Amino acid sequence: MLNIFNGKSALPKYMLAPPANGEVQTLTVTKDVSTFCGDTRVGADEWQTTVVRPYVAGAILRDIKLDQARYNSLIALQDKLHQNLARQRTLVAIGTHDLDTLQGPFTYEALPPKDISFVPLNQSKKMNGEELMEHYANDSHIGRYLHIIRDFPVYPVIHDANRTVCSLPPIINGNHSKISVNTRNIFIEMTATDKTKLDICMNVLVTMFSEYCEDPFTVEPMEVISEHNNQSRQSPDLTPRETEAEISYINSCCGLELSADQICKMLGRMCYNARPSKSSKDLIDVGIPPTRADVLHQCDIMEDVAIAYGFNNLPRAVPLNSYTVAEPLKINKLGDIIRETSASAGWSEVMPLILCSHDENFAWLNHKDDGTTAVRLANPKTAEYQIVRTTLLPGLLKSIRENKHHSLPLKIFEVSDVAFKDLSKERKSRNERHFAAAYCGKSSGFEIVHGLMDRVMLILQSAFITSKEGKPASDNGFASYWIEEAADPLFFEGHAATIHVRIKGEEKIIGIFGILHPTVLERFEIKYPVSTLELNAEVFL
């Protein structure tokens, strides 16, 4: 593709080429599959559902030349398609086979699990459908796909003319037709629940690897025959998609004055087949190759023109229609002030993840979850990411744990968001911008954390008052704060204090600091005393 962009190679012309004998291989969808896949009604005597793979397609790559790098690339491309476009094989499942080990024509059937028997890929023991499900139940790779068809009374299966099982989609291929670097003819079959995704995946796979065929960029099509409606179609369809793009639109977006011929030349570098339109001087006809399923609108074509022209070569100009003055959000500006103050005092900023486990947020901090505080994930992938944190402390303590090899003391801080349930909000939750710091050393460092808190409060124009001075009657436009002893199981008894502020006549508790309890340090595997500070910064907005 880089040679095409640089004008050193011509555009590839993807073609469908029938076999030399003229007999196109067929893939027949039997009536039981169409019945099984084509209706959502459940009768008394038969299962009918749309859940299991109603669409199928096939293609053949003849006289392909593979080496280890190309073979690895083929397997990697299948995996990428499965994980992304195919949505973990729920939308599309891809099977590649050594055609020389099989005999056409092929059939796509739906059979009870006990009637399906074959040796799965990279296995030596023959299994039926039920045994296969049990065998792969705990497999870290295949096991994640079993749920797609496990609970149905029949499974989709592809056979060749000798009743050899090619694959049990979307689970696994048969070992009989396993491909290798020595494979010369590849049979590609795909089953799907989404026809659009099926066509895209098939086109991507065959166009990418038809380059390595003896006759480059040629693909042997297959005839897909549907018995239930007596219809058939050819697969794949490599016909370029025809569309139009406006020259004026492209030039106005890019700030250029290109002619139709110049734009067509630019698009040629991006693998389009473009030509000036005969219907209008402001239009160009564009043939979108089968490799570009991402092109949906003329804005995509405009972007490719800009890429071919060179983003750095586009003219730069000041917008004439509107002038705006940007400024930071107040909450972000406040956070930057706290960051700069903490960093100037010799503390290092950390940025841990906003998700954590439920235990890290509650039990490990000697706190209990009342069920109305934390926002839970409905389907957490791991135990480490179960909830959105309600405090910054777990992230700071894990950062200390993972940096034990650094010399002491460790002085770290974070300014970031936490989240709480809030049923009064439309989204049923709210964010709060918090500031937290942790000191880990051979001594507790309580007075050092206290000093950081005093410095931050001074920068935020909040004056400290003692119990002897009493609380002032008015704040004269400035905030005032004081501390009071606190009893919190997170900290050593008698070694913690809450932070109180008085802003515009209103008193609030905005945070707490102290020396952490040894049980907390033990759970986070920290061997030295730690003092922490956390406060809600939003009250100063």
Side-chain angles (χ1 to χ4, degrees), residues 462-474 479-483:
S462 182
F464 179 72
I465 58 175
T466 65
S467 58
K468 293 182 179 180
E469 295 172 344
K471 301 173 187 176
S474 63
S480 57
Y481 77 98
W482 65 96
I483 60 175

Side-chain angles (χ1 to χ4, degrees), residues 112-127:
K114 291 184 179 180
D115 295 345
I116 302 171
S117 181
F118 68 107
V119 179
L121 186 65
N122 296 328
Q123 299 293 323
S124 57
K125 178 184 175 182
K126 182 177 286 189
M127 308 177 193

Side-chain angles (χ1 to χ4, degrees), residues 14-57:
Y14 300 103
M15 297 181 295
L16 297 179
N21 59 12
E23 296 181 4
V24 176
Q25 291 281 6
T26 62
L27 177 56
T28 302
V29 183
T30 59
K31 289 183 179 180
D32 52 355
V33 174
S34 58
T35 300
F36 175 57
C37 299
D39 202 320
T40 57
R41 296 169 295 176
V42 180
D45 301 321
E46 61 183 355
W47 261 80
Q48 298 173 318
T49 178
T50 56
V51 175
V52 179
R53 328 207 79 73
Y55 304 108
V56 65

Side-chain angles (χ1 to χ4, degrees), residues 92-111:
V92 182
I94 305 168
T96 52
H97 310 272
D98 189 337
L99 182 62
D100 296 331
T101 65
L102 301 170
Q103 179 65 47
F106 300 90
T107 57
Y108 179 40
E109 309 172 29
L111 299 174

Side-chain angles (χ1 to χ4, degrees), residues 59-76:
I60 295 172
L61 297 178
R62 291 278 185 185
D63 298 319
I64 192 168
K65 296 179 181 179
L66 297 177
D67 55 25
Q68 193 60 49
R70 293 173 181 177
Y71 172 83
N72 293 341
S73 180
L74 174 62
I75 301 302

Side-chain angles (χ1 to χ4, degrees), residues 358-392:
H358 184 273
D359 285 344
E360 289 171 349
N361 196 82
F362 291 103
W364 288 16
L365 300 180
N366 293 335
H367 289 160
K368 293 183 179 179
D369 181 12
D370 59 7
T372 63
T373 305
V375 177
R376 285 179 172 268
L377 273 67
N379 56 341
K381 296 300 182 183
T382 69
E384 292 181 294
Y385 309 120
Q386 295 175 320
I387 65 171
V388 183
R389 61 188 179 181
T390 61
T391 169
L392 300 181

Side-chain angles (χ1 to χ4, degrees), residues 29-30 32-34 36-37 49-56 89-90 93 107-113 115-118 129 132-133 145-159 163 165-173 189-193:
V29 183
T30 59
D32 52 355
V33 174
S34 58
F36 175 57
C37 299
T49 178
T50 56
V51 175
V52 179
R53 328 207 79 73
Y55 304 108
V56 65
R89 301 191 189 181
T90 56
T107 57
Y108 179 40
E109 309 172 29
L111 299 174
D115 295 345
I116 302 171
S117 181
F118 68 107
L132 183 142
M133 290 290 175
Y145 309 119
L146 301 183
H147 70 92
I148 301 174
I149 63 171
R150 173 191 285 150
D151 296 330
F152 295 105
V154 292
Y155 295 166
V157 61
I158 294 179
H159 285 112
R163 304 299 294 171
V165 173
C166 301
S167 69
L168 179 70
I171 309 302
I172 197 167
N173 293 346
E189 46 83 7
M190 296 187 188
T191 60
T193 58

